[in-house]
Each structure stands twice: as C-alpha cells, then as structure tokens.
Amino acid sequence: MLKKLALSIVVSFLFSSGWVVADEQVKNMKLYLMIGQPNSETWAGIVKNETDMSIDGRKGIEAMGGEMLGFYIGVGEMKNYAIVAFPDSFDVSRIVFTRAMQGVMDDIQFIEIMSTEKAQEVFKAINATQIGGNA
C-alpha cells in the first residue's frame, strides 16, 4: 500500500508540476520509476559522507545507456526513487544485475510508467480494436 502511494505521489508530482519529457532521444525511450533500497552499510556511507546520491546514480544510469530525469529520497522508508529513461528492458536489466553484484542494494525495482498523453494513445488503440472485453 505504501509503495503504491509513493508511486502515485512521485508520478503525480512530476507530471502535474509541468515536468515534460522534451528531449527527442528521451521521448523515444521507455520511462521507469526506479525504486531502490540501499542496504544499511550503504546508507551509513551516504550519511557519513553527506553524499548527493543523484550524482553517482546519474553516472551509472548514463553508463548503461539511460537518462536520469529525477532522483528523490523517500522520507521515513530508507528508499530512493528515480525517474529514468531507457531504450528497452535489456538496458534496465543491466542496472538491476549490476547493482545486485555490487552488494549495495537490498532491493531494486523498475516500474514502467507513461505520461497521460501516451496512455490516451493506448486507450484509443484499445477502443479502435475492441479488445479486452470493451466491445
């Protein structure tokens, strides 16, 4: 329940505050909500060194062929949230397995998200083909 609420808040904030994917390269990529849960050792280093996690996070995402569009820390739940863009799920899987090998995360997830404009295109396609019991 808390995860769904956090997802709704982050996505709603980004799209309702005028955040728009303008870069043509990003526009043709899939958007994901990345939810990461660093382990306690990683958090200890972050706090001790007063680290801006978005800097290294951005470098890692870009090294794997993606773009970071925003990075946030969940207050009170020891998780971080990022909006990232990747060309396909292969690129996302590279991040997941790389972070798992590094041993810094207890959990990492990618949830594909889309703008409401893109969703409207999906809805039109569903109605045009009459699939899924919407006849």
Side-chain angles (χ1 to χ4, degrees):
M1 177 69 174
L2 185 57
K3 188 186 312 183
K4 288 181 183 178
L5 177 60
L7 170 65
S8 297
I9 291 169
V10 170
V11 173
S12 296
F13 171 76
L14 289 172
F15 290 109
S16 69
S17 64
W19 180 82
V20 179
V21 178
D23 184 314
E24 281 304 312
Q25 179 182 349
V26 172
K27 207 173 214 180
N28 295 321
M29 300 169 94
K30 291 182 178 181
L31 296 177
Y32 296 89
L33 172 63
M34 180 189 79
I35 304 171
Q37 186 170 359
N39 60 35
S40 59
E41 184 178 321
T42 302
W43 273 116
I46 290 167
V47 172
K48 181 179 180 184
N49 297 310
E50 302 173 4
T51 304
D52 178 348
M53 298 168 64
S54 69
I55 295 170
D56 286 339
R58 181 178 309 281
K59 289 177 188 175
I61 296 292
E62 290 174 355
M64 298 286 182
E67 290 201 34
M68 182 183 294
L69 306 175
F71 194 91
Y72 307 88
I73 302 296
V75 178
E77 59 181 9
M78 299 198 42
K79 292 184 181 179
N80 52 56
Y81 298 87
I83 304 298
V84 298
F86 281 99
D88 61 39
S89 63
F90 170 78
D91 298 308
V92 169
S93 66
R94 290 174 60 195
I95 291 286
V96 171
F97 293 119
T98 298
R99 297 308 273 167
M101 289 182 342
Q102 293 169 335
V104 297
M105 305 293 280
D106 282 340
D107 186 39
I108 187 166
Q109 304 174 52
F110 285 82
I111 301 167
E112 186 177 349
I113 59 175
M114 68 176 70
S115 68
T116 56
E117 179 183 338
K118 181 70 173 176
Q120 188 178 24
E121 292 174 28
V122 171
F123 303 154
K124 287 178 183 178
I126 290 169
N127 289 328
T129 57
Q130 299 295 305
I131 59 173
N134 65 334

